[in-house]
Amino acid sequence: MNCGRLVDKINNSIGQDPTAKSIIGVLDIYGFESFKINSFEQLCINLTNEKLQQHFNQHVFKMEQEEYTNEEINWSYVEFVDNQDVLDLIEKKPGGIIALLDEACMFPKSTHETFAQKMYQTYKGNKRFSKPKLARTDFTINHYAGDVTYQADHFLDKNKDYVVAEHQALLDASKCSFVANLFPPLPEETSKQSKFSSIGTRFKQQLQSLMETLSTTEPHYIRCVKPNSVLKPGIFENFNVLNQLRCGGVLEAIRISCAGYPTKRAFDEFLDRFGTLAPDVLDGSDEKSACVAICDRMGLKGYQIGKTKVFLRAGQMAELDARRTEVLAYAARRIQRQIRTYLTRKEFITIRKATIHLQKHWRAKLARQLYENMRREAASIRIQKHARTHAARTSYTKLQEAAIAIQTGLRALAARDEYRCRRRNKAATVVQTQWRRFHALSSYNQQKKANLILQCLWRARIARKELRQLKMAARETGALKEAKDKLEKRVEELTWRLEFEKHLRIDLEEARGQEITKLQNALHEMQRQLEEAHDAIIQEKEAAKIAIEQTPPVIKEVAIVDSTKVDHLTNRNQELEDEVREMKKRVEEFEQKYSEVQNESGARLKEVEESQLKVLQLQEIIERLELNFSNLESESQVLRQQALVTSANENLSEEIDIFKTKIRSLELENESLRTRRVAAEQIGPEQLTPQLKRFDNGQQTGEESQTIKVQQQTTRSEIYVHESGAPVSLTKQRSLTDRQQENHDVLIKCLMEDKRFDKSRPVAACIVYKALLQWRSFEADKTNIFDRIINTIRSSIESQDDIKDLAYWLSTTSTLLFLLQSTIKASNTQNTAPLRNRNSPTTLFGRMAQGFRVSSMGMGISSGYSGMEGKPNAQSKIDAKYPALLFKQHLTACVEKIYGMIRDSLKKEISPFLNLCIQAPRSTRVRSIRGSSKNIHSNIVAKQQASSIHWQSIVNKLDHTLSILSENHVSSIITRKIFSQVFSFINVQLFNSLLLRRECCSFSNGEYVKAGLQELEQWCLKAKDQFAGSSWDELQHIRQAVGFLVLHQKAQKSLKEITNELCAMLSIPQMYRIGTMFWDDKYGAQGLSPEVIGRMRSLMAEDTINVPNNSFLLDVDSSIPFSMEEISRSFQDISLSDVDPPALLRQKSDFHFLLQQTD
């Protein structure tokens, strides 16, 4: 009633005409319902869905088949699933479920069990009805959508839900129309026919009325599909969606449609679309025959031609569309061919006419030039005749005058020769005197210089020998250090075994003491019982004596022999004495075994003391080795500093032999230490756990909780000690070690495979840092996780050419290095190796002793896996040990190496383009061409644009590298340094090429390079200061050199203006070379003035005297231009609280700390 009132309100609000003949109705119902508990409401809803499903099948399939019949095509009936038997089972009279329910409701004694039993009997043979096992009132109906199990517990109550007559009368008398119409009275016909009107019957009548209404309308169906069960967008559960489509009959409708003719087109539509496939059949034939001809020509099989439509099988429409596309494409290509032919011929005719006209004018010009040349030749012959006459006369006159002058000069020359000869003789005497003096002095100076050079060479040779010896000693020292580390590991193992033996001996002594105490208590208890038995016998004897004495004398004494109690006491006494003797025997056996065990314990105690003495000796030897190693290092440092002064490279065999003898002696000491350790290594866990027998006291009292059970299982080498405190388990140690190794492997795998970024953070770096912080690896004296991480990074970047992977590893390593920098204290960064020995509580054995004082659960496990003991504070600084500091150094080296690889890779990529960018192509150089046409000018412009491709290629390489670095979230300071050094490389290459190649120092080439530099400037502006930084400033040399090349009126510039204003960054030799090599190929202007060139030459001569090896070329900077402090400042505070670990780590319980939200 509420729904009807709501519908009336909506109709009135939208202005519906109550007298309208055509209406639009919307029927919105739930689909099939199947819950854990299905009652009478679900039955009614599913009955409605069955009715609507039948109406849908009949409507869809009937319309399809009616269309086939109207078009009179050959078709076969397609079967579909009919659910009429389910409807008969529920609503058919008189055998339906609703009829049985109404019948049961009319009997007052009916219950849900009797109703269920009646259904079981009535529908026993119905295939749509079934009874679940072990159910008394449940029944299952096979609906169109599937099986639904109903519970008939409340069917009778819900079917009899009628309104009390008094209540209905009271509501009908209400003045409110809404309240009065809540429960309208039943029609008189219904009330007359039956006094009982059930809910099921009324629901069936309303459903029948609804179906009649639907039959009179033209229905359209909208299927709503629920994509998922979690009610979230963007998620599709294929199985649930397919099941809903199957239950709604959509798949069945599609199957039947595909089995028939899914594609139908009218004749005119078919011809309009596919008439191009056979245009010849369109003329002179009707539409039907034309359609048949097109289908036959295309080779279609199985189609049908109706009265007004063409019926095609599945896939035939797509085939026709494909053929139509091919025909249209062929027609388009043919049209394009004709148009291009026309345009090309028109252009050819125009060019031919212009060529003929040009040839006519050119031939006329050649004829005029030939006539002019002939006139000039005749005139030149006449001029030559008069010129030769004048020349002959002049030559004779000059020859005569010359002969007279020669005679005069020869006479004067002879006189001067005589005078000169006399002067030379005198001067030769003076020169010989000075030369002999100079030669003697020069010989002396050369001999002195040669002696000094020989001495320097000999000293350099000795220094080189010492340097080689130091290098070999350093290598031998590394081997000695490795042997020392192995020896330390073995000493640690031996010390652990000694500590293990101590704990075991203490536990055995405690167990032995408890057993002795127990036996002594049992012995005292038996002695007490024996004394009580003796006291009882004595008291009984005294009582018998007193009784005899108190007997009246009148009574005659009769000797009665009753010794039962005395015999019982005697036997009891005998048993107690036997038990005492047995106990004494056991005590003697136990004392004998105790003495044996005590002797064995004493022997092992002596062995332990001997082992401790050996350990002390080993400690002294290791300290001596450490002292020798430190002395060798200091000597090596001193000798290395001395070797830096000289540059010789020879061997000193004597010093090498000395070092070899020292190394041999150290190796012999190590070997002797290994032989001394053999005896201690033979003490294993199996020998330290004697097989203890169980000692019983002979009483079956059941108090076995106080006994000690010691078993040794040799198959697993485990020790189980119950309720008395056991030593450390070796198996537990091995399992924890294996677990640690497994966690390390998983972490390394995550570092290799998980290359994600979360909020600009590399996930792998954050996870590795959190794991190391959780495990307290930075505080560990020894751990191998750092070496594994470094080896993994090095193997990943080894021979790596892909810049994307290098950028990822650069981002990951720099982030991890920043996290380490923010965690580790900076006080221990200098001299880490010496500080490691001095900051230790004692020597190596002192640190081992501290490690043995931890709890038994942590014994034998590296401190690198101490994450289970507690969680450090991530905000506080950690006093890191030597491995962590070494790991930081290696990580810094990896960052620098990856940085250099990316920088060198970018340099390698742009180097070929730089060789092409320094010199402009010849076609791009502008020449003054008189009478050049517009076509020639356009060709020159096109070639100039093509020549800028090289600069654009460099810009593209820079953009590609910048995009990769940005995608991998590389630090901005590193990105700026990369591009700054690359631009510096560009500056050096271009500037050096400009200085070494004269053809590059031209005006047009300067304009070409300046245009390319403007593209680089545009790139810097586009990249902004965040990534470009000072890259544009790195090009100052080439920018100033190019600016000088394109400068007008160079001859008017002074040297001061050039050095201070135009080329402030260039040196005098560089400006002199550019000024002397410059040539203006465009305007033919003059370069620098001779005064400026001369001034530069003089300044260069002065500089050459002061700095002999002053070169005018630039050097490439290949250093690492950033520090750790700069990287730290570039990083913002990285939050590790919301980093999402990969699925591989979420599955392992040891990495659940990654899921915790920490501040």
Side-chain angles (χ1 to χ4, degrees):
M1 181 60 66
N2 291 333
C3 293
R5 178 179 175 86
L6 183 61
V7 171
D8 293 338
K9 288 282 189 182
I10 293 174
N11 291 336
N12 294 331
S13 64
I14 64 177
Q16 182 181 6
D17 187 5
T19 62
K21 296 180 180 180
S22 300
I23 61 174
I24 298 176
V26 179
L27 177 61
D28 184 11
I29 66 168
Y30 286 99
F32 284 94
E33 291 187 355
S34 178
F35 305 120
K36 292 183 179 180
I37 298 176
N38 300 291
S39 187
F40 182 68
E41 297 86 350
Q42 281 71 35
L43 180 64
C44 295
I45 292 174
N46 292 341
L47 173 61
T48 304
N49 283 283
E50 291 285 354
K51 277 284 190 180
L52 294 175
Q53 185 65 39
Q54 186 186 37
H55 181 268
F56 171 74
N57 293 340
Q58 291 177 354
H59 179 264
V60 173
F61 305 148
K62 183 177 179 181
M63 288 178 59
E64 189 78 14
Q65 294 170 1
E66 284 180 358
E67 186 174 7
Y68 293 163
T69 305
N70 294 334
E71 293 291 332
E72 296 180 358
I73 64 174
N74 297 327
W75 62 283
S76 59
Y77 181 77
V78 181
E79 295 183 357
F80 57 89
V81 179
D82 192 4
N83 58 347
Q84 184 61 42
D85 51 353
V86 181
L87 297 174
D88 295 342
L89 174 64
I90 299 175
E91 66 176 358
K92 186 177 180 182
K93 290 185 178 181
I97 294 176
I98 295 178
L100 290 179
L101 182 61
D102 292 343
E103 182 180 353
C105 289
M106 287 188 288
F107 293 100
K109 293 184 179 182
S110 297
T111 62
H112 55 276
E113 293 182 354
T114 59
F115 170 64
Q117 293 299 327
K118 191 171 183 180
M119 284 194 299
Y120 297 157
Q121 295 174 3
T122 305
Y123 309 119
K124 184 185 300 182
N126 196 324
K127 63 180 181 179
R128 294 284 190 171
F129 185 89
S130 61
K131 174 189 175 185
K133 294 181 179 180
L134 304 177
R136 300 179 61 185
T137 61
D138 298 352
F139 63 95
T140 303
I141 297 177
N142 185 12
H143 286 286
Y144 185 88
D147 294 341
V148 181
T149 301
Y150 299 93
Q151 287 74 27
D153 295 342
H154 301 288
F155 269 43
L156 298 179
D157 298 335
K158 293 180 179 179
N159 194 37
K160 293 187 296 185
D161 189 11
Y162 56 90
V163 182
V164 181
E166 291 80 1
H167 296 172
Q168 184 174 1
L170 178 62
L171 293 176
D172 290 341
S174 175
K175 295 181 180 180
C176 180
S177 60
F178 173 72
V179 176
N181 294 327
L182 284 176
F183 298 100
L186 295 175
E188 296 180 359
E189 297 178 357
T190 306
S191 60
K192 290 179 182 179
Q193 292 176 2
S194 175
K195 295 182 180 180
F196 175 74
S197 178
S198 64
I199 299 298
T201 303
R202 281 186 284 173
F203 181 79
K204 187 170 66 173
Q205 291 174 358
Q206 295 175 1
L207 181 59
Q208 184 63 30
S209 174
L210 175 63
M211 298 308 296
E212 291 175 357
T213 303
L214 292 177
S215 300
T216 60
T217 61
E218 181 181 357
H220 299 274
Y221 297 93
I222 298 175
R223 297 290 183 180
C224 297
V225 179
K226 184 179 180 181
N228 56 70
S229 58
V230 295
L231 303 179
K232 290 184 178 180
I235 301 176
F236 289 90
E237 298 177 356
N238 297 335
F239 179 76
N240 292 338
V241 173
L242 186 62
N243 191 23
Q244 295 177 55
L245 294 176
R246 185 182 294 108
C247 294
V250 177
L251 297 182
E252 184 68 15
I254 294 173
R255 182 187 68 81
I256 294 173
S257 178
C258 292
Y261 301 93
T263 305
K264 300 175 283 292
R265 289 289 184 274
F267 290 152
D268 53 351
E269 294 179 1
F270 187 80
L271 292 177
D272 290 340
R273 184 168 182 82
F274 301 108
T276 56
L277 299 178
D280 53 340
V281 301
L282 298 178
D283 300 333
S285 61
D286 57 349
E287 294 181 344
K288 183 174 183 180
S289 59
C291 294
V292 173
I294 291 173
C295 293
D296 293 339
R297 185 169 296 181
M298 294 298 105
L300 301 181
K301 303 294 184 181
Y303 68 91
Q304 292 286 341
I305 302 296
K307 290 182 178 180
T308 61
K309 295 182 180 180
V310 178
F311 294 86
L312 300 177
R313 291 287 188 183
Q316 292 181 347
M317 177 62 75
E319 183 178 356
L320 290 175
D321 287 334
R323 297 294 296 274
R324 176 176 174 270
T325 303
E326 293 178 359
V327 172
L328 294 178
Y330 175 75
R333 288 194 297 270
R334 188 170 182 180
I335 293 171
Q336 291 173 359
R337 181 180 63 189
Q338 295 297 333
I339 293 175
R340 289 170 182 160
T341 302
Y342 170 74
L343 294 177
T344 306
R345 180 172 178 80
K346 183 178 179 181
E347 184 180 0
F348 170 73
I349 292 172
T350 304
I351 294 174
R352 187 177 64 179
K353 290 181 179 180
T355 303
I356 294 172
H357 186 71
L358 184 62
Q359 288 176 354
K360 178 181 68 175
H361 290 284
W362 184 253
R363 286 170 184 158
K365 182 179 179 181
L366 290 177
R368 287 191 296 270
Q369 288 181 355
L370 179 61
Y371 174 73
E372 185 68 23
N373 291 333
M374 292 174 66
R375 286 183 61 196
R376 289 184 177 182
E377 185 178 358
S380 63
I381 292 172
R382 180 170 293 185
I383 292 172
Q384 289 175 3
K385 179 181 68 173
H386 294 286
R388 287 169 184 164
T389 301
H390 177 72
R393 189 184 301 109
T394 305
S395 176
Y396 173 76
T397 305
K398 288 182 179 181
L399 182 62
Q400 184 181 10
E401 293 176 355
I404 297 172
I406 288 172
Q407 291 175 358
T408 305
L410 287 175
R411 294 186 183 100
L413 180 63
R416 284 193 296 270
D417 287 341
E418 182 67 21
Y419 175 71
R420 189 181 298 110
C421 182
R422 293 178 180 179
R423 284 189 62 191
R424 285 183 178 179
N425 290 333
K426 185 178 180 179
T429 305
V430 177
V431 168
Q432 288 175 359
T433 303
Q434 296 295 329
W435 169 251
R436 291 188 183 99
R437 185 185 65 81
F438 172 75
H439 187 268
L441 182 61
S442 177
S443 299
Y444 172 74
N445 291 334
Q446 287 180 357
Q447 188 176 2
K448 180 179 179 181
K449 185 177 181 181
N451 292 332
L452 293 176
I453 292 173
L454 183 62
Q455 291 176 358
C456 292
L457 291 176
W458 178 252
R459 291 167 184 166
R461 180 182 179 185
I462 294 174
R464 280 194 292 270
K465 288 182 180 180
E466 291 179 356
L467 178 62
R468 180 171 295 180
Q469 173 198 356
L470 290 175
K471 290 182 179 179
M472 294 182 65
R475 287 196 293 269
E476 297 294 336
T477 304
L480 182 61
K481 185 177 180 181
E482 183 178 0
K484 172 193 167 186
D485 294 336
K486 292 182 180 179
L487 186 60
E488 287 181 355
K489 292 181 181 178
R490 291 180 180 177
V491 171
E492 287 178 358
E493 183 181 359
L494 179 61
T495 309
W496 178 85
R497 290 184 178 179
L498 292 175
E499 200 71 16
F500 179 81
E501 183 180 358
K502 288 181 182 179
H503 283 289
L504 186 61
R505 183 170 57 81
I506 292 171
D507 294 333
L508 292 176
E509 289 177 357
E510 291 177 357
R512 194 178 297 111
Q514 292 179 359
E515 187 68 22
I516 292 173
T517 304
K518 181 180 177 182
L519 293 175
Q520 288 178 355
N521 293 333
L523 180 61
H524 291 321
E525 181 67 22
M526 295 190 69
Q527 289 178 356
R528 185 181 60 78
Q529 292 178 358
L530 182 61
E531 290 174 357
E532 290 178 356
H534 281 293
D535 294 336
I537 292 171
I538 293 171
Q539 290 178 2
E540 287 178 357
K541 289 180 180 180
E542 291 177 355
K545 289 179 181 180
I546 293 171
I548 292 171
E549 291 175 355
Q550 293 178 358
T551 302
V554 295
I555 300 174
K556 187 178 180 179
E557 294 181 1
V558 180
I560 300 175
V561 181
D562 188 5
S563 61
T564 303
K565 191 172 184 180
V566 176
D567 294 339
H568 175 70
L569 293 175
T570 304
N571 294 332
R572 177 62 179 167
N573 189 12
Q574 188 66 29
E575 290 176 358
L576 292 175
E577 289 177 354
D578 293 337
E579 289 179 356
V580 169
R581 284 193 297 271
E582 183 70 23
M583 184 60 63
K584 289 180 179 180
K585 187 184 296 183
R586 290 187 179 182
V587 169
E588 290 175 356
E589 292 177 357
F590 180 79
E591 289 177 351
Q592 184 178 0
K593 292 179 179 179
Y594 176 75
S595 61
E596 293 176 357
V597 172
Q598 189 173 9
N599 294 332
E600 184 180 0
S601 176
R604 292 190 176 179
L605 183 60
K606 291 180 180 179
E607 292 178 358
V608 170
E609 292 175 353
E610 293 176 358
S611 300
Q612 289 180 350
L613 292 176
K614 292 178 181 179
V615 168
L616 294 176
Q617 294 175 0
L618 291 175
Q619 179 182 0
E620 294 175 357
I621 293 172
I622 289 175
E623 290 177 352
R624 187 171 67 254
L625 291 176
E626 290 178 347
L627 181 60
N628 293 336
F629 181 75
S630 62
N631 293 333
L632 287 175
E633 285 184 342
S634 60
E635 292 176 2
S636 176
Q637 185 67 24
V638 173
L639 293 176
R640 191 177 294 109
Q641 293 177 357
Q642 294 177 358
L644 291 176
V645 181
T646 62
S647 59
N649 192 12
E650 296 292 336
N651 292 329
L652 289 177
S653 58
E654 295 82 7
E655 297 293 334
I656 293 174
D657 293 338
I658 293 173
F659 274 99
K660 286 184 177 180
T661 53
K662 291 183 180 179
I663 292 170
R664 289 195 192 97
S665 62
L666 293 176
E667 289 179 349
L668 292 176
E669 290 180 1
N670 292 336
E671 188 65 28
S672 63
L673 292 177
R674 295 191 188 99
T675 55
R676 292 177 184 177
R677 198 170 53 86
V678 171
E681 286 182 349
Q682 294 177 354
I683 303 175
E686 293 81 2
Q687 298 177 356
L688 295 178
T689 55
Q691 298 180 355
L692 300 179
K693 297 182 179 180
R694 178 180 175 181
F695 299 99
D696 297 331
N697 54 9
Q699 296 180 356
Q700 303 295 331
T701 59
E703 297 178 355
E704 298 179 354
S705 60
Q706 298 178 358
T707 62
I708 302 174
K709 299 178 181 181
V710 180
Q711 294 179 342
Q712 180 183 11
Q713 298 180 356
T714 58
T715 57
R716 298 182 181 178
S717 300
E718 296 180 354
I719 301 173
Y720 298 93
V721 181
H722 300 276
E723 301 182 7
S724 62
V728 179
S729 173
L730 295 178
T731 302
K732 184 174 294 184
Q733 174 200 356
R734 294 193 184 100
S735 63
L736 291 176
T737 305
D738 295 339
R739 184 176 176 186
Q740 173 193 5
Q741 188 66 26
E742 181 182 356
N743 291 338
H744 288 180
D745 294 340
V746 172
L747 186 63
I748 295 299
K749 186 176 181 182
C750 172
L751 178 62
M752 287 289 294
E753 298 178 356
D754 192 7
K755 296 184 178 181
R756 297 179 295 113
F757 287 90
D758 185 7
K759 298 179 182 179
S760 303
R761 302 167 300 183
V763 176
C766 297
I767 290 176
V768 169
Y769 171 75
K770 292 179 69 176
L772 295 177
L773 198 63
Q774 179 72 14
W775 296 340
R776 296 185 179 177
S777 299
F778 303 119
E779 303 173 6
D781 288 332
K782 287 187 178 181
T783 180
N784 64 343
I785 184 62
F786 296 143
D787 295 336
R788 296 192 61 184
I789 294 174
I790 294 299
N791 292 333
T792 301
I793 296 174
R794 288 176 177 172
S795 62
S796 299
I797 65 175
E798 196 71 25
S799 66
Q800 181 66 256
D801 295 330
D802 191 3
I803 193 174
K804 292 183 179 179
D805 294 337
L806 292 176
Y808 165 75
W809 284 112
L810 180 60
S811 177
T812 302
T813 53
S814 59
T815 304
L816 186 57
L817 184 60
F818 164 73
L819 295 174
L820 261 67
Q821 181 72 14
S822 61
T823 303
I824 297 176
K825 287 184 178 180
S827 59
N828 294 333
T829 56
Q830 302 294 332
N831 301 326
T832 55
L835 285 176
R836 181 189 175 196
N837 294 330
R838 289 194 294 267
N839 292 336
S840 301
T842 56
T843 59
L844 170 67
F845 296 94
R847 296 194 300 271
M848 292 164 56
Q850 282 188 353
F852 285 118
R853 286 195 288 270
V854 299
S855 62
S856 60
M857 291 301 295
M859 190 173 183
I861 305 174
S862 173
S863 60
Y865 191 69
S866 60
M868 296 182 294
E869 299 176 2
K871 181 179 180 182
N873 186 6
Q875 301 297 333
S876 61
K877 293 285 186 176
I878 296 176
D879 191 2
K881 300 296 183 180
Y882 176 76
L885 300 176
L886 187 62
F887 171 66
K888 180 183 174 184
Q889 295 178 2
H890 288 170
L891 199 60
T892 305
C894 289
V895 172
E896 295 175 354
K897 182 178 181 181
I898 299 170
Y899 170 87
M901 293 175 69
I902 295 176
R903 179 198 61 198
D904 295 341
S905 176
L906 183 56
K907 289 181 180 179
K908 185 178 179 182
E909 289 178 356
I910 66 176
S911 291
F913 301 108
L914 292 177
N915 296 329
L916 301 174
C917 291
I918 187 58
Q919 184 178 2
R922 294 184 177 179
S923 59
T924 62
R925 298 175 186 173
V926 182
R927 298 186 180 95
S928 58
I929 302 175
R930 298 181 181 178
S932 60
S933 62
K934 294 183 179 179
N935 293 330
I936 298 175
H937 180 70
S938 61
N939 292 334
I940 293 175
V941 172
K943 291 180 180 179
Q944 288 178 353
Q945 293 177 355
S947 64
S948 64
I949 295 176
H950 307 311
W951 290 100
Q952 192 62 36
S953 300
I954 296 177
V955 173
N956 293 337
K957 292 294 183 183
L958 296 176
D959 287 335
H960 178 66
T961 304
L962 179 59
S963 62
I964 291 176
L965 296 177
S966 300
E967 289 172 1
N968 290 275
H969 304 286
V970 178
S971 174
S972 59
I973 182 65
I974 298 178
T975 304
R976 289 197 298 271
K977 294 299 182 181
I978 289 176
F979 288 112
S980 296
Q981 286 197 332
V982 170
F983 271 70
S984 176
F985 172 75
I986 295 173
N987 177 65
V988 170
Q989 294 295 321
L990 295 179
F991 188 73
N992 290 343
S993 300
L994 191 69
L995 295 179
L996 297 175
R997 298 167 62 180
R998 186 180 184 278
E999 64 271 16
C1000 297
C1001 294
S1002 63
F1003 188 92
S1004 60
N1005 193 72
E1007 290 181 340
Y1008 170 74
V1009 178
K1010 184 176 181 181
L1013 294 177
Q1014 288 178 356
E1015 293 188 8
L1016 294 181
E1017 184 180 8
Q1018 293 297 325
W1019 182 88
C1020 292
L1021 295 176
K1022 183 176 67 174
K1024 300 180 180 179
D1025 291 337
Q1026 182 181 3
F1027 300 110
S1030 60
S1031 300
W1032 177 246
D1033 296 334
E1034 298 293 335
L1035 302 176
Q1036 289 185 0
H1037 288 83
I1038 187 63
R1039 284 164 50 194
Q1040 293 181 4
V1042 170
F1044 175 79
L1045 292 179
V1046 298
L1047 179 66
H1048 295 283
Q1049 298 178 356
K1050 298 182 180 64
Q1052 300 178 4
K1053 299 293 182 181
S1054 63
L1055 180 61
K1056 185 176 181 181
E1057 292 177 350
I1058 295 173
T1059 55
N1060 296 335
E1061 297 177 3
L1062 298 178
C1063 304
M1065 294 297 296
L1066 304 185
S1067 62
I1068 296 298
Q1070 293 170 350
M1071 290 187 296
Y1072 174 80
R1073 188 169 182 84
I1074 295 174
T1076 54
M1077 293 172 59
F1078 170 78
W1079 57 289
D1080 193 345
D1081 59 339
K1082 186 174 182 181
Y1083 302 105
Q1086 185 182 358
L1088 294 176
S1089 62
E1091 292 80 9
V1092 173
I1093 296 295
R1095 181 60 180 164
M1096 287 184 178
R1097 191 180 294 111
S1098 62
L1099 292 175
M1100 287 172 57
E1102 295 176 0
D1103 293 338
T1104 304
I1105 296 173
N1106 298 328
V1107 184
N1109 296 326
N1110 187 12
S1111 177
F1112 56 85
L1113 297 179
L1114 299 179
D1115 296 330
V1116 178
D1117 183 16
S1118 300
S1119 62
I1120 303 300
F1122 58 85
S1123 61
M1124 190 58 222
E1125 288 73 19
E1126 294 179 346
I1127 297 179
S1128 301
R1129 287 195 298 269
S1130 65
F1131 277 93
Q1132 299 178 357
D1133 292 337
I1134 298 179
S1135 176
L1136 304 178
S1137 60
D1138 55 346
V1139 177
D1140 185 20
L1144 179 63
L1145 299 183
R1146 287 199 297 267
Q1147 296 173 358
K1148 297 185 68 63
S1149 60
D1150 293 338
F1151 291 89
H1152 283 177
F1153 63 88
L1154 297 174
L1155 303 176
Q1156 298 176 0
Q1157 298 293 331
T1158 59
D1159 294 333

